[in-house]
Amino acid sequence: MLSKKDFPLLVKNKNLVYLDSAATTQKPEMVLDSILDWYTTFNANTDRGLYDLSIQASNTFQQARESIADLFGVMPNETIFIKNATEGFNLLANGLLRQLKPGQNIVISGLEHHSNYLPWLNLSKRLKLELRIIPIKDHRINMKIAAKLIDSDTAILSASHASNVLGYLNPIKELASLAHRNNALVIVDGTQVVPHQKVYPWEIGADAYIFSGHKAYGPNGSGVIFLKESIAYKIDPLLLGGDMVESVNDNVVRYKESPYKFEGGTQNPAAQVGLSVALSELCKRRPEVIKHEQELIKQLEEKLTNPKVIIHNPNPDLPILTFSLKALHCHDVASLLNEQQIAVRAGFLCAEPLVRQLNEQGVVRVSLGLYNTESDIDKLVQVLNEICERV
Amino acid sequence: MPSYLTKELLELSRSPKHNHKIKNPTHEMDQENVLCGDSIDIQLMIKEGVITKAGFTGAGCILVMASGSKLISKIINKEVKNIDLNENSWLESFKPAIPVGRQKCVLLAIATLRQALSQE
């Protein structure tokens, strides 16, 4: 299995305990090598040049698309490259604008990251549509209320596969079933799940499945929307310009088919090729990665027994543990951990409505990656206990 | 490396001085740190150019509360024209140094005071 020795940043910073992988993962050497390889072997603008180098670049870029599509059980033309999940949600929210009619509603859950909240809030305000938010009960989506909120006027259901704060898998199949019964489109934010679980988006009922690559060991600027071929034609592109058109004649523009119509302008092939390398390796190692991460998060929860620590998400499905200290603001906890070279996230975690329900002043989040070890967990617990003694 | 979380700061945040509203303030301002939602409200009574009474209320981390407490203690009975509103001086008054990522917490109080004093 990949381990710390395969991650140059962690090799360089031997004392760093990196526990913020839900924000971004560190990058393995093979991904960094692939970026260098792109720029030293293939670099040319893709899908434009008629010369050999550009053709090789286009082929390599297309192979990355095919490889990622294959790992998730979708078609290459259903695999749209984006720079991050925020771009993905904005692309879909803007692209669906012309499909929506007065009186329709959009449904999201109360667990959402801002990237799957603000685009829908903005769209609903622009079109004067109702944005319905499924409330949370015991930190889970309240399915009874979901069944009432998703109705025949629902045009879109957009929900996270798992929250970036709580790390519980959401019942996407059940939600998708409710939505499809009402002919609504199902969009799923898979950003937190892809690094930790095998996913087949169409099997869980998604019509579109979005994730950021940088949280799955890929480079920054990489990411994907899987979008069903049967729906893609209804969605307008967000970025208009280079490379996304078949022809332009005066006022008549013919867009390319998906995925190319959604990839306006020069792309970032080095990042997406790097993502395909990361995901291929991750999928090869999937069973051992899941076992390793599950063992570590269980250990953390078992060892974090200090009564001053309040755990907000016991028994998470993903390796994410969110907590507060009774006597200390979350930013102070994070700063004190940083003094001992422990990196965690603290605050509202880009999910302010949800976090305010847990603690008005924010929370501390520990999120693991495949490179974390038992000694990372022990150091965190030891330092947290020391902090608890001081306050 | 010594921690920024000194006993003095911890004590000030637990039992901040001047952590109350004052009656009939001549100047008042509240501000929020948009990055984290921490907030502070400063009230002043200024007579003939002198701050005769001051208090603050707020919600936030140790640094926000301790900084508010220290600042109000420092300005009571001072002439407004002699108050140092320089951010760097205020930061330097905290030893050990405050980590860069947390300096906004310390500066919230002085930024709010500057706004309060800029009112006519």
Side-chain angles (χ1 to χ4, degrees), chain A residues 51-70:
Chain A
Y51 47 91
D52 288 350
L53 186 63
S54 177
I55 293 165
Q56 282 171 12
S58 305
N59 289 343
T60 307
F61 191 33
Q62 181 61 15
Q63 281 160 15
R65 193 189 307 277
E66 288 168 5
S67 163
I68 293 172
D70 187 50

Side-chain angles (χ1 to χ4, degrees), chain B:
Chain B
M1 191 177 71
S3 172
Y4 77 93
L5 185 59
T6 59
K7 279 188 181 169
E8 183 206 358
L9 290 187
L10 200 53
E11 193 49 46
L12 274 180
S13 73
R14 277 187 190 140
S15 313
K17 295 171 186 165
H18 315 291
N19 184 210
H20 53 76
K21 289 189 177 274
I22 63 168
K23 277 186 187 169
N24 304 318
T26 55
H27 296 67
E28 179 171 10
M29 182 58 62
D30 63 277
Q31 281 203 359
E32 186 176 312
N33 185 341
V34 290
L35 289 175
C36 59
D38 288 355
S39 63
I40 202 164
D41 183 333
I42 289 179
Q43 294 183 317
L44 308 169
M45 170 84 81
I46 301 179
K47 284 184 182 169
E48 296 171 355
V50 175
I51 298 177
T52 56
K53 286 183 187 170
F56 83 101
T57 54
C61 63
I62 284 176
L63 294 177
V64 165
M65 299 307 284
S67 178
S69 178
K70 274 178 67 149
L71 185 65
I72 300 296
S73 298
K74 194 179 164 192
I75 63 172
I76 288 178
N77 295 324
K78 289 275 163 55
E79 282 190 70
V80 171
K81 66 180 181 187
N82 292 333
I83 292 172
D84 183 1
L85 293 169
N86 184 280
E87 292 189 350
N88 287 335
S89 319
W90 186 240
L91 276 175
E92 283 166 11
S93 72
F94 287 77
K95 305 279 185 217
I98 302 299
V100 174
R102 302 298 306 286
Q103 291 179 354
K104 279 195 180 304
C105 309
V106 167
L107 295 174
L108 183 61
I110 202 143
T112 308
L113 177 64
R114 193 188 301 117
Q115 287 288 319
L117 292 174
S118 70
Q119 293 175 315
E120 287 301 317

